[in-house]
Amino acid sequence: MPDGPLPDRRLAGIYLHVSSLPGPYGIGDIGHAAFEFVDFMRRSGLALWQFLPLGPTGYGNSPYQPLSSFAGNELLIAVDGLVDLGLLGADETAGLTRLPQDFVDYEALIPRKAALLREAAGRFDARATPFLKAEFAEFRSRHDGTWLRDYALFRILKSVCGDAPWQHWPVPLRSREAAALARVERDHAAAMHAACVLQFLFYRQWQALRRHAQESGVLLFGDVPIYIALDSADAWARPELLKLDPAGWPEAVAGVPPDYFSADGQLWGNPLYDWPRHAATGYAWWVERLRASLDFADLVRIDHFRGFESYWAVPAGAATAREGQWEPGPADGIFEAFRVAFGGLPIVAENLGVITAEVEALRHRHGLPGMIVLQFAVNDPAFRLDGIAFNEVCYTGTHDNDTTIGWFRGGGDDTRSPDEVRATREMALRVTGGTAATIAEDFVRAAFSSPARAAIAPLQDLLGLGREARMNTPGRAHDNWRFRARSAQFSPELCDNVATIVRRTHREARHVRRDPA
């Protein structure tokens, strides 16, 4: 593994979560469309596919509050792949094809797809080939002792306990008494087996996609939230690694302090790590977490990197994040542990927001690329594209931003005043030298022409889509994570247009082959 996360040359990439891929089954998945997307990237000269966390989502469907930091999201399993294995009949998928295909309707999707997945998993022993069963046995032996058994138990207990948070479970289950867990495994053996089968199928499908990406010269760029969800298999299985009381409730929670953007700060509510305890183990849990993430990606972005230098701790029960205080993070220790384990640091640091000199010094000591988001950067009158350092990743926007067109136009639920929107437009046009009519392409061209080692644009900006295509609006609890592309949008014209920008900005991947679209 190279010492840094990226090759020593300028690359271009695209930002698109798996759930946003096109396809006939109500949500993007790890099937044919994912392989075709890699092919589109190769033809376009793109070398980086960045996606959101792949963990199983819970309330709100947010990839950043997964039920496990190690497991895969079963909703992303390709049903066509299950048909190919003989675990489903083609006619059984018809219910999914009747779902909306231009956005993800989670309320309709989840019960239908979950039922199909249960059917497929329940048929595994009877229909899987001996070779496939041997693969599954190897998968279980490799992961049972680290996370798989705990995850399967957690999902079963969530169901048995009416989906209540684990802190509300009966004490023997909440506190993981061995006899109580053994009884659950015995009484729900079929469900335990099915949960493990689905994780195996996810892993197997993803590894096939990863091999295709490697053969195509496309690097997979994952995402690791710094914090875990309180109601997760991680917190239930390893409460001693968190600042929790004996009943599993946090003493303090994560957030960020008041700043220019939020008078009360942001109160995230995630439990905080007991960093001295992690240090005493050589950061073993974090090493395993990163190792699991690198099973699915060549490099990862760590969200809220500044929390490794110092983090904002808010007393449990506080009404806002105003009441918090800064606490020291693990700093160099955790990155030294990563370097020992992996031989390098395949990490990009999310260093957005109010970042101190100490945070940047930590990043630079370990040679980690940071992030430049043009939608934020152009608001600084002193900003210059040619002032971006090589060891950065430059974005037009991210999953938390409006599309470039939506941001440029303002309106809707945008909190900026008309004067602020007008000033933003003027600065964006100054930086790009473009026009209001071509701002999305101008922003892509600007990011790609920067000196940054990597430049990445969300698909929405490559397509010139408006705010209707926004992926997430922070602080809004509904209508997020629903964006989906359509197959027709990956046209030869788009491929040629992207390839031209990539070539003219000298970011063309060395693997690129001019296959017919």
Side-chain angles (χ1 to χ4, degrees):
M1 182 176 293
D3 187 59
L6 293 164
D8 193 26
R9 53 194 169 91
R10 295 166 70 250
L11 300 175
I14 195 165
Y15 205 147
L16 185 73
H17 194 39
V18 180
S19 64
S20 296
L21 289 166
Y25 301 117
I27 189 171
D29 58 36
I30 321 170
H32 301 308
F35 285 74
E36 290 170 356
F37 180 64
V38 169
D39 294 341
F40 167 83
M41 292 186 62
R42 176 172 51 80
R43 291 194 299 270
S44 302
L46 299 167
L48 291 165
W49 176 6
Q50 184 169 357
F51 42 84
L52 306 182
L54 294 171
T57 53
Y59 176 77
N61 307 303
S62 171
Y64 291 91
Q65 294 286 340
L67 297 173
S68 168
S69 296
F70 296 83
N73 185 355
E74 297 91 345
L75 291 176
L76 303 181
I77 293 173
V79 294
D80 278 347
L82 305 184
V83 172
D84 293 340
L85 291 175
L87 301 178
L88 290 176
D91 59 319
E92 293 180 285
T93 67
L96 295 181
T97 64
R98 290 192 287 269
L99 294 173
Q101 303 302 325
D102 54 350
F103 67 95
V104 183
D105 182 348
Y106 287 101
E107 288 188 2
L109 170 77
I110 290 172
R112 295 187 194 185
K113 187 157 187 178
L116 267 186
L117 294 174
R118 284 193 299 270
E119 285 292 331
R123 296 166 181 171
F124 184 83
D125 285 352
R127 298 189 182 184
T129 65
F131 179 78
L132 195 61
K133 290 178 182 177
E135 273 191 74
F136 173 60
E138 193 280 329
F139 175 81
R140 285 205 69 165
S141 67
R142 179 180 167 196
H143 297 293
D144 252 354
T146 52
W147 63 269
L148 184 60
R149 174 179 176 267
D150 284 328
Y151 173 69
L153 276 168
F154 180 80
R155 294 302 299 264
I156 289 161
L157 289 170
K158 284 281 285 181
S159 178
V160 167
C161 296
D163 209 37
W166 64 269
Q167 294 85 355
H168 290 296
W169 297 353
V171 171
L173 301 177
R174 185 182 73 204
S175 58
R176 297 176 54 84
E177 293 180 12
L181 296 187
R183 191 159 49 249
V184 171
E185 289 191 80
R186 183 183 65 247
D187 294 347
H188 300 274
M192 281 283 296
H193 182 67
C196 295
V197 165
L198 291 179
Q199 284 303 305
F200 164 67
L201 294 171
F202 178 97
Y203 183 88
R204 189 173 188 271
Q205 288 187 357
W206 188 271
Q207 294 310 312
L209 175 62
R210 187 172 188 182
R211 287 191 296 273
H212 183 63
Q214 290 171 336
E215 291 164 0
S216 303
V218 172
L219 295 171
L220 299 181
F221 188 177
D223 201 334
V224 176
I226 187 172
Y227 294 119
I228 62 173
L230 178 60
D231 190 22
S232 67
D234 309 306
W236 172 67
R238 302 298 303 274
E240 74 278 6
L241 297 177
L242 302 165
K243 292 184 175 181
L244 302 178
D245 67 19
W249 295 106
E251 303 167 4
V253 296
V256 290
D259 58 21
Y260 174 81
F261 301 101
S262 174
D264 289 328
Q266 296 179 42
L267 188 58
W268 296 336
N270 302 76
L272 298 170
Y273 296 107
D274 185 335
W275 284 121
R277 189 178 289 265
H278 282 269
T281 69
Y283 300 97
W285 181 88
W286 261 98
V287 167
E288 288 306 309
R289 185 186 187 192
L290 186 57
R291 192 187 310 280
S293 298
L294 293 173
D295 269 348
F296 299 117
D298 299 294
L299 68 154
V300 296
R301 183 192 84 137
I302 295 188
D303 191 46
H304 196 59
F305 170 83
R306 75 103 59 238
F308 289 115
E309 193 280 326
S310 57
Y311 60 92
W312 191 247
V314 184
T320 75
R322 284 179 173 272
E323 301 175 43
Q325 64 181 15
W326 290 109
E327 300 284 353
D332 296 286
I334 193 168
F335 298 104
E336 290 163 359
F338 289 159
R339 196 179 296 278
V340 169
F342 303 109
L345 298 178
I347 294 166
V348 170
E350 185 273 288
N351 59 334
L352 304 176
V354 180
I355 301 299
T356 66
E358 291 80 6
V359 174
E360 285 295 88
L362 174 65
R363 181 173 73 85
H364 289 305
R365 281 199 298 275
H366 296 281
L368 302 179
M371 292 175 59
I372 300 291
V373 177
L374 291 185
Q375 285 191 27
F376 299 143
V378 299
N379 287 306
D380 180 356
F383 172 72
R384 292 174 56 91
L385 275 176
D386 59 9
I388 295 176
F390 176 67
N391 200 31
E392 303 279 3
V393 182
C394 184
Y395 297 80
T396 58
T398 74
H399 63 280
D400 281 336
N401 293 96
D402 202 342
T403 67
T404 291
I405 285 181
W407 163 82
F408 185 82
R409 292 176 178 170
D413 56 5
D414 196 321
T415 58
R416 294 173 296 170
S417 71
D419 285 345
E420 289 173 326
V421 172
R422 191 177 305 110
T424 293
R425 290 173 182 165
E426 291 173 358
M427 288 186 282
L429 295 176
R430 173 184 60 81
V431 168
T432 63
T435 70
T438 59
I439 189 61
E441 183 169 329
D442 295 337
F443 243 49
V444 172
R445 197 180 307 278
F448 284 23
S449 66
S450 76
R453 182 193 295 261
I456 296 176
L459 176 67
Q460 294 94 316
D461 285 350
L462 294 174
L463 292 171
L465 301 179
R467 75 161 26 91
E468 74 284 351
R470 183 169 185 165
M471 186 62 164
N472 180 52
T473 302
R476 188 177 71 183
H478 57 88
D479 292 338
N480 291 321
W481 321 112
R482 289 155 60 93
F483 169 72
R484 292 195 71 194
R486 299 188 302 276
S487 296
Q489 290 173 317
F490 297 98
S491 64
E493 291 77 16
L494 178 65
C495 184
D496 289 345
N497 189 38
V498 174
T500 297
I501 296 173
V502 170
R503 186 171 60 253
R504 289 179 177 174
T505 56
H506 307 290
R507 290 186 180 273
E508 190 168 44
R510 293 174 184 172
H511 66 264
V512 69
R513 296 195 297 270
R514 293 297 175 200
D515 297 349

